[in-house]
Each structure stands twice: as structure tokens, then as C-alpha cells.
Amino acid sequence: MLFLILIQLIQCKYKFPSDYYSHRRDLQTSGQQVVNSTNLQIPWNNIRIEYDFISTFDPQSMNYVAGLLNITKTFLSKHILVRSNYGQLKYNSNWGTTLGGFEIPQTLRAKSYNADIVFFIKIENSPDESYLAYAGPQKSDSSFSDRPTFCVASFNMAHVNLLKMTDILYQTAISTSIHEFLHGFGFIYDMASSFYDSVTGITYQNVTFVVDNINYLSMPRMVNFAQNFFQCSSIKGIRMEDQGGQGTALSHFDRVLFGKEMMTGSDITGQGVMTDLTFQFLQDTGYYRIAEYSPDINSWGYQKGCDFVNKLCNSTKKYPEFCYQNNTIGCSYDGSGVAVCLDSDQLSNGCEYMTGDESYLCLDPTITLPQNQLMHTGYDSMCIEGFISNVSGTTNSIGYGCYQYKCTNGQLNIIVNNLTFPCPEGGNITTPAGYFGQIYCPQNPSLYCIIEDDCPNQCNSRGFCMRGMCTCNIGYSGASCQNTCTTLRRNDQCVTTCPSGTYPETQSQYCIGCPGNCQTCSNFNKCTVCKDGYVLKGDFCDNQPYSLSSIIYLSIILIL
């Protein structure tokens, strides 16, 4: 059975053309030793990713897709580690000439790759298909870890208008590319029985289970993260998507519960966020560890407790993540744009969301704004109720608009025509002399400061934004990837040598520090002291189950 994941305009879906990778381990018995002690000593190094196109397409489309792939490679190689001795990968002649229905050219079948994983890429133009892209693993490293090594992916240009491409649309396309590569890395429910603890080499107990016809994935780091994030100690597994049909169901996190998380089946509005839930999934597979990183924050459901987790929109509480009056206009939950209350797709599961309209996405500086309302769009813009104008008699027919905002010490401020107004919870902004109208502050203004993580100019289509920091394509640096750089990069700086305490990473050409959640280390892959709330395990820092101490720590993390 072959696993290929398709991103649709409305949903993400599997495709099943021919065989799944032939070296996939059969379903494992819980608690089985699958990696021996010798192989567990192989060092962790940044993953080496290579790709090749299996056929030609028009030059503009190929350049577009190659740009997405190059940024994807840089981002993932910067953050993800694998056990690697820097060996080569080569296509096995016993596999035949096709993988996943893709005809692999003889030149690529004869090629040796200095890589830990290889993607064969196809570009297609299929207007009758609603997917944007699909991908899946085909062959694995059968020598010791069963980690995917050869994958296929296809990008459907039928739904891409290159003439109307903007920085924010390009950023969304990179997110799609990363989403697909992560499916290739092994983000597949049916592989879960083969996942194992990377320290012991032993598979997990009861990694999947079903309650009330809902499928759950239960691995320790993911569960610990969810318990702490929601503040719900009864969480025993991660709810997987049960809607959308074959390929969407099971193969993504449940969108009703996890909102804008990148590895849900589709975005509700705006861009998906790559949170620690996805990073912990990668670590729980046993194939990967995490280098220095700062994941996105998902405000959806944050600290809402077990009632939110178990009841969602069916709770007697009216959670602001959901809306309750169809077709009403307001702001999307994350404030990224003007939205309408809809239950309009297969992943809503009976809940209604404020669904954004691309024509009124506040993050997009190219949208047309109403006249005389002093609005602002871009990475530092949010949707808010009301309007302010310096022209008497101006009206706002929808009652909402896009305005510049800035957070200072957790305090939300709205900026209008270079005037800064504090926006307290439940309060409003009264216009000064010479201005007209009023702005009504949101009920939870600190929420917008928690998720203040967009990057200037969406990285200028030269990088991928995570937690307010661009990971720039090789050759660029800066807060928005605005500068050329022919040497190494550290954060947004171009450097000739890595600063003390950081280490050069050749695949991404970044200087990286201690492993994820590590306080002090002796190398990029060897922690000695973990940050508060984490425990040292096999040279890396693992999270812990929900406790009062972890509440305090998570709260600190969210306001940094």
C-alpha cells in the first residue's frame, strides 16, 4: 500500500497509486526492540535533503516549485536531526522503474545522493483535481531505523496564478511544501506501530486507540505537550482528523481541536502555524531529534482545559474559537482578517468558524482598502471592530477593518495615522479631536500579543517565517531576507564565522546553537543542562507531563 498525501484547496487527501515502500516493517508488537544498541550510538546530525525533478515543465513553473523546495530544504535541515554517518543513498535496481506511480528516469536511478532523504518531484496541471500537492514515503532505511529515505511529491500548478503571486501567497505555498515534506518524513498514521523511543529503540505501547469512533495517536512527547498546552492532564492521545474521507482522515491532526496547526487537513483562515505539536511528533517517531528552534504559538484552545478538549463547540461555554450565528461578519479568531461565520467544509465536524476572506486578509499588503479609514495591512496588521477616519461623514458598512498593531510588555496597542492608542480588554479607543469613529478592543487583547509572530514582508518570498524569524534561503539574510549573504547566517545576521556557543550547519548555512529546549550544551547535538520544565534524555531535552510547574513555564514561554 502506498501513502501519498494531497493538499486540497479545501482539504488534504491521500492518493493510493500502486505500492507503498517495500521495506516498510510489518506491524510491530508493542514494546519490541527494533533498533539495536550499536545503531543507537550513531550520531545525530542535521538532515541532508535532496530532490530531483522526474520530468520537465514550463520554466516559470519549475522555477516557482524549485524556489519552494529550496526554502523547504533549508528550513528543515536547519531544525531536524537524524542518525547519520553521512553516507550516500542510491536507487535500488530491484525496485523497478516506478515509485508510487512515478516513472523514475534511468539517470536518477543510477545517481548517488549525498543525502539522508530524497524526493522525486513531479509538476502537473490538473484543473479537474482540487489538490494543490501530494507526497509520501516510498522506501525506507531497512538497515536499522526504517526511516523513510526515498519519497515522491507532485505539485499541481492548475490552482496557482504566478501573475498574481504575492509574498503572503508564496509564504502559504512554502507552508504547503513543508507540510508535504513532513508527510514524506513519515507523518502517516498507519506507520505509527513502527515508531519507537529513539533512546531505547523500543516501540511504544498502545500507540493508537479508538474512543467513540475517534482515532487517537498516543506517543509520550506529543501527549505531554497537549496536556500542558490545554492544561488537561486527562489527555492520553492526540485526536486525529476523522472527517474528509480517505487520506484526510487519520493522516492529520483534528482541525476542530488544533485550529491552524500546520499538520491539520486544511487552514481555517490565513496561514498555518508550525507548533511544537508537530516537532514533538517528529521526535516521537524515533527517526528524528530537534536542533535549536523556536516554534510557532497556536492560540487556538490555549489553556482552555479539558472541557474544550472534550466538548469543543458543543460545550455549554461559548468558546471564541467558534462562532454561533451563521453568516455573521467579524474578525477571524487570530485577527488575521475580516471573516464570516461558516460551517462550509468537510472538516468542520458540526462546528462553525469565523472563516477568512482572501480579499480582506489584513496580513496581505496588496489588498484594496476602503477610502478615508486610515487602515493598514501587512505583517503587523490585525482585524478589529470599528474604524477611525479623519474625514467627517465616513462610514464602514461591515463594521470591521484592518489596523496596525504593536505589543509592548504584553499590552496591545493600535496605531492609527502614526498615533498609538492602548487597547485594554473590553475597552474602546475614543477618537481625538479631528478624527471620527471608534475602535472596540477585543475581549482578550493579550491573545494577539501571544501570537505576534509574523515576519516583516513575509520574508520577501526568500524564506519561511516561524515565530517571527525568517529562515532565509541560502544566499540571503536579514529580518525579512532583504540582504544578500554569501557566508553563514546567525538568526537575521550575515556572519563570516559562527559566534561562540553556536556551530556551523553546512546544509542550511546557518549557525545553530544548543538542541531544542536546552540551556547549555557541548555541541549542537549534545545538551548538558535543560531549560526549566524539560528533562535530559539521551543528550536531548524532553518535555514532561502536565503539572503546576509546567503551567508556569509555558506561560513564560508564551510571553517571550
Side-chain angles (χ1 to χ4, degrees), residues 10-14 179 183 187 189 213-217 238-259 261 263-268 277 312 345-350 353:
I10 297 178
Q11 59 181 329
C12 182
K13 214 173 195 180
Y14 270 134
H179 177 114
H183 281 307
F187 195 104
Y189 184 85
N213 295 317
I214 297 173
N215 288 267
Y216 292 85
L217 187 59
I238 302 302
R239 177 170 171 160
M240 305 303 286
E241 183 61 65
D242 62 351
Q243 303 290 303
Q246 188 181 61
T248 302
L250 296 182
S251 301
H252 300 88
F253 298 133
D254 182 69
R255 197 187 68 181
V256 182
L257 180 58
F258 294 106
E261 159 64 45
M263 295 310 294
T264 59
S266 71
D267 293 335
I268 296 173
L277 180 63
L312 298 167
D345 66 58
Q346 297 183 51
L347 306 188
S348 297
N349 204 11
Y353 312 101

Side-chain angles (χ1 to χ4, degrees), residues 284-309:
D284 274 333
T285 64
Y287 309 148
Y288 310 103
R289 279 295 202 173
I290 305 303
E292 181 184 33
Y293 76 133
S294 184
D296 284 324
I297 299 298
N298 186 4
S299 61
W300 189 275
Y302 171 58
Q303 295 189 348
K304 297 292 174 65
C306 297
D307 183 75
F308 180 89
V309 172

Side-chain angles (χ1 to χ4, degrees), residues 120-142:
F120 293 125
I121 307 296
K122 179 177 72 173
I123 301 177
E124 59 181 278
N125 184 2
S126 303
D128 294 333
E129 301 285 358
S130 59
Y131 57 79
L132 299 177
Y134 62 84
Q138 301 300 305
K139 302 295 178 181
S140 68
D141 177 2
S142 58

Side-chain angles (χ1 to χ4, degrees), residues 14-15 26-27 53 139 188 256 286 307 372 444 483 513 555:
Y14 270 134
K15 185 179 181 180
D26 292 333
L27 297 181
F53 290 101
K139 302 295 178 181
I188 292 177
V256 182
D307 183 75
N372 302 324
N444 187 7
N483 302 320
S555 298

Side-chain angles (χ1 to χ4, degrees), residues 342-389:
L342 295 175
D343 176 16
S344 59
D345 66 58
Q346 297 183 51
L347 306 188
S348 297
N349 204 11
C351 294
E352 295 183 336
Y353 312 101
M354 296 303 297
T355 303
D357 183 344
E358 285 189 1
S359 65
Y360 222 137
L361 183 62
C362 295
L363 300 178
D364 187 353
T366 67
I367 67 171
T368 301
L369 293 172
Q371 292 184 341
N372 302 324
Q373 296 189 28
L374 306 176
M375 292 188 187
H376 171 87
T377 56
Y379 75 98
D380 56 352
S381 174
M382 63 177 287
C383 174
I384 198 161
E385 184 179 1
F387 76 100
I388 291 180
S389 175

